[in-house]
Amino acid sequence: MEWNFKDGIPIYAQIIDEMTMRIASNAYAPGEKLPSVRELAMDAGVNPNTMQRALAELERRGLVYSERTSGRFVTKEEEVLDNLHEELARKYFQEFAEKLRKIGMDKAAIKESIEKWVDGIEGDNNGKDRD
Amino acid sequence: MLGKLIKYELPAMGRKLLPLYAAWAIAALLLGLTAEFSDSPSDFMLAISVILYTAIATAVTVISIVMIVQRYSSSLLGNEGYFYHILPVGTASHIGTKLISATVWVVITMFVAFLTGLLVVLGIVIAQGIGFDEVMRGFKLMLEINYPEHMWLYLGEGIILMIASIIKTIMQIYAALTIGYQASNHTTLASIAAFILLLVFESVVGRNIMPSMVSVVFSANGVIDFDNIFVPSILISIAFSALYFLICKVLLDKRLNLG
Amino acid sequence: MARIEIKNLTKKFGSLTALDDVNLSLEAGKIVGLLGPNGSGKTTLIKLLNGLLQPTSGTLEINGNKPGVKTKKTVAYLPDRDALPDYMTAPQLMKMYADFFLDFDRARAETMINDLGIDEKQPMKKMSKGTKEKLQLCLVMARRADVYLLDEPIGGVDPATRDYILRTIISNYNEDAVVIISTHLIADVESVLDDVVFIKNGRIVMHEGAEDIRQEKGESVDKLFREVFKC
């Protein structure tokens, strides 16, 4: 897994985004132990205090939890993970919708376009199945 | 800390001198052998070995002086200062380390010089084919001579005076280097000037205390008082050494500005 | 408690003022970038902290002590030049460091020497300038010091070594130590820094959190640096 940081955005915020993605995409499975702050900081090439701050924020959001002696773990609570997926989906839709509005599509046009696209995916799959 | 530093300093000074000592010893032996075998003083081999012996003796002397100057100035005033001044060691220990190591090597060099003298004799002895028992007999004769009373005491005092003067001269060099280093440029020239000034200073001080020294050394009836001949000189050397040490320490503590 | 406390520090070399009334307080647990162009006074400040220069006026304190024997026990310094005595070998230098610095971790030094591919048996005289600098870095970073003063640690090294050095700095991090990295290569170090100190013509012109700069100004430290030091 690569870390890529953009200029001009606080690194801790970028770490939170990256870690959230890793948890949502199962790169870190539910209940899995996370590497130590130092290891993560070395891996990402960032200041350990910054990494610590990002992990503390993830903990506050309930995505990870820490056990006093053994370290930090990804949450096992399905509700939290479901919420995370929903939240991410909403975020992506929002970004997506903004772009579509920019090119002049209204709510109805977007809806129509999405339906067409979803049908297209299904058609693709059917086509592959027949082979 | 002083001991630890000396442990690293002694080899640093010795690594250039040790091979020269070996060469010097061989040259001495060669000189002894050729001196006996040659018929005339103009003999080619003899001339070569005399030149070789003198050249090495000169080289040892020059390199000893260069090492005394260079070990002090590069470690404490030059680039290696970025290494030595980072160690958690006081300046007194740094100066003491350089002084003790330099003194040890000068004394060893003088001892080696004495040994090479013996080796010249040994070369002659071998060349003449004199037997071992004859040499031993010669030694015995030497020991049977009647030495003056207190000879060992005077010899001991003489050696102490010699070491005290070595220490004083080394400290004089260090003080001159440290003073010269204060100049913003031309530090080498400034060091030489400082050395000359210190020599003048010593002779002025010496001239002022000389009359009282003379009165101590010579008893009322004008006979040399051996009991008192060395001690005042030893004390004066120690006093000068202490003064120079203080100059070095104060300047290194308060005025060190590595370039 | 502040690990390093500098008050009204001025340093002059003849008529040239290298540092002009510098005030700086640095806490433990921080990695600080001392950033400025060449000749801005970074090296002078670091040399003063090591007692290699004496202040013209003002005071410096490390753990409440002036630079001296006491502070040298806990300060690990990487000079901006190769200063190792060239008649010594790497094992001799490690032995010497272990003799003088109680916080020196020899096993760690050997790991680093190995990682950086330095041939221990090679005499110093035959080592290239770059190799000597790496060896020097290994000796310094293998200490468990309170204060690390790293003067241009990444100047003139290849990218792989640069990454290794930065990772070593991160892995060495502990909350009792303060690490000062002086450099003019901001982009390379900026993600590692807690605080940045901008120094210009011997004066501290800014001392701020790196994240605060990115948050408030919405730009990288590197970009801000270029603005502040625009010619």
Side-chain angles (χ1 to χ4, degrees), chain C residues 200-220:
Chain C
K200 188 179 185 180
N201 297 331
R203 287 169 173 270
I204 306 274
V205 291
M206 184 184 288
H207 179 190
E208 254 188 82
E211 288 281 72
D212 296 337
I213 290 174
R214 287 185 281 260
Q215 176 96 57
E216 286 160 22
K217 302 202 161 60
E219 60 187 19
S220 65

Side-chain angles (χ1 to χ4, degrees), chain C residues 24 32-36 42-43 45-46 180-183 197 199 204:
Chain C
L24 189 61
V32 181
L34 183 60
L35 313 177
K42 305 186 297 281
T43 296
L45 183 57
I46 287 181
I180 297 181
I181 305 171
S182 123
T183 186
V197 174
I199 181 166
I204 306 274

Side-chain angles (χ1 to χ4, degrees), chain B residues 1 4-5 7-9 11-12 15 71 75 79-91 252-259, chain C residues 11 13 47 50-54 69 72-73 75 77 79-88 92-93 95-97 99-101 125:
Chain B
M1 280 299 171
K4 279 186 193 171
L5 273 178
K7 191 175 84 187
Y8 292 96
E9 187 60 28
R15 79 208 144 87
R71 286 302 306 154
S75 310
N79 202 44
E80 276 176 27
Y82 285 80
F83 178 78
Y84 282 100
H85 283 301
I86 294 313
L87 302 175
V89 174
T91 46
L252 284 183
D253 280 339
K254 310 274 181 218
R255 301 290 305 270
L256 179 72
N257 284 300
L258 280 190
Chain C
K11 176 67 186 173
F13 297 106
K47 279 165 75 177
N50 280 299
L52 299 178
L53 295 174
Q54 311 308 318
V69 176
K72 285 172 188 176
K73 284 180 188 167
V75 174
Y77 167 51
D80 62 340
R81 65 191 70 204
D82 140 47
L84 298 176
D86 65 357
Y87 54 87
M88 290 177 88
Q92 278 175 337
L93 283 165
K95 195 168 171 300
M96 192 163 175
Y97 256 64
D99 261 358
F100 284 96
F101 297 111
K125 266 178 230 159

